[in-house]
């Protein structure tokens, strides 16, 4: 963990995940990106328990576009909690992640999961308005983008209206 120096928090929202990283790994430079300027404004005010700003930089941008502007092999890890659910086809995000991550770099994200079928390609817009992704779809696009799946843990990714939302916590390693 001490070798991790730069982390990108995709879809950083109000900065909850960034705060966790800043508190547990204070030597890490965390950069956040979100589509919502309102979320960026809130994240800008978030402080670590040491009183420092959580984020070294914040950007109001699309995830794939933001990643495409980073230098190659410049990022140690990318985190995306409750973000992939708003992206249908994640291939562009993974392709751009692969370019900016160092060798053996990691991307960790959560996803709402579905049973895949050939008819929908493993991605489906759910009645809640978010996207579900099948395990086979994620495995396929990860491989095409130059990743191997290190971990796939089926879990409750959040609670909504007092109900568990089932999904997966996924970690990919750049190969």
């Amino acid at each position: 963990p001490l070798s991790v120096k730069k982390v990108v928090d995709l879809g950083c929202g109000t900065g909850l995940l960034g705060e966790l990283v800043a508190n547990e790994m204070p030597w890490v430079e965390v950069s956040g990106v979100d589509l919502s300027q309102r979320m960026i404004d809130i994240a800008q005010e978030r402080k670590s328990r040491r009183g420092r700003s959580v984020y070294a930089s914040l950007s109001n941008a699309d995830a794939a576009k933001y990643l495409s502007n980073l230098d190659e092999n410049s990022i140690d890890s990318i985190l995306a909690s409750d973000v992939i659910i708003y992206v249908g086809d994640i291939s562009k995000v993974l392709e751009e992640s692969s370019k900016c991550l160092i060798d053996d770099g990691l991307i960790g994200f959560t996803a709402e999961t579905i049973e895949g079928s050939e008819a929908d390609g493993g991605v489906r817009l759910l009645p809640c308005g978010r996207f579900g992704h099948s395990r086979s779809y994620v495995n396929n696009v990860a491989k095409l983008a130059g990743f191997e799946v290190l971990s796939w843990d089926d879990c409750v990714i959040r609670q909504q209206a007092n109900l568990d939302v089932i999904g997966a916590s996924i970690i990919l390693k750049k190969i």
Side-chain angles (χ1 to χ4, degrees):
L2 290 176
S3 64
V4 174
K5 292 178 182 63
K6 290 186 176 185
V7 171
V8 171
D9 183 1
L10 285 184
C12 65
T14 62
L16 294 173
L17 182 57
E19 182 179 8
L20 178 67
V21 174
N23 285 334
E24 298 304 318
M25 302 170 71
W27 63 89
V28 171
E29 178 185 304
V30 183
S31 298
V33 60
D34 202 284
L35 274 176
S36 168
Q37 184 59 52
R38 185 172 151 261
M39 294 294 111
I40 293 292
D41 292 343
I42 295 169
Q44 184 71 47
E45 300 302 316
R46 192 166 292 278
K47 304 286 185 212
S48 72
R49 64 176 165 243
R50 290 165 184 84
R52 296 190 341 235
S53 292
V54 165
Y55 294 100
S57 66
L58 285 160
S59 298
N60 179 215
D62 169 80
K65 187 163 191 68
Y66 173 83
L67 293 169
S68 73
N69 289 317
L70 296 176
D71 291 338
E72 288 189 22
N73 304 308
S74 64
I75 303 297
D76 298 299
S77 183
I78 298 170
L79 304 173
S81 178
D82 247 3
V83 175
I84 298 302
I85 59 174
Y86 298 109
V87 180
D89 178 4
I90 64 171
S91 60
K92 187 70 173 166
V93 170
L94 292 184
E95 288 166 14
E96 296 301 337
S97 294
S98 183
K99 290 176 189 173
C100 68
L101 281 169
I102 62 169
D103 291 340
D104 297 329
L106 303 176
I107 178 169
F109 58 94
T110 57
E112 288 191 34
T113 52
I114 59 169
E115 293 299 319
S117 73
E118 293 302 316
D120 61 21
V123 179
R124 190 169 33 242
L125 184 60
L126 303 173
C128 62
R130 294 183 296 265
F131 288 96
H133 298 84
S134 72
R135 187 178 202 141
S136 62
Y137 169 79
V138 172
N139 286 340
N140 289 338
V141 295
K143 184 176 180 181
L144 289 171
F147 290 98
E148 68 176 318
V149 178
L150 281 187
S151 173
W152 181 291
D153 292 320
D154 294 316
C155 61
V156 174
I157 59 171
R158 77 175 161 287
Q159 293 221 321
Q160 188 163 335
N162 294 321
L163 299 173
D164 291 343
V165 176
I166 305 302
S169 173
I170 304 155
I171 300 174
L172 307 178
K173 178 182 174 184
K174 181 179 171 180
I175 51 174

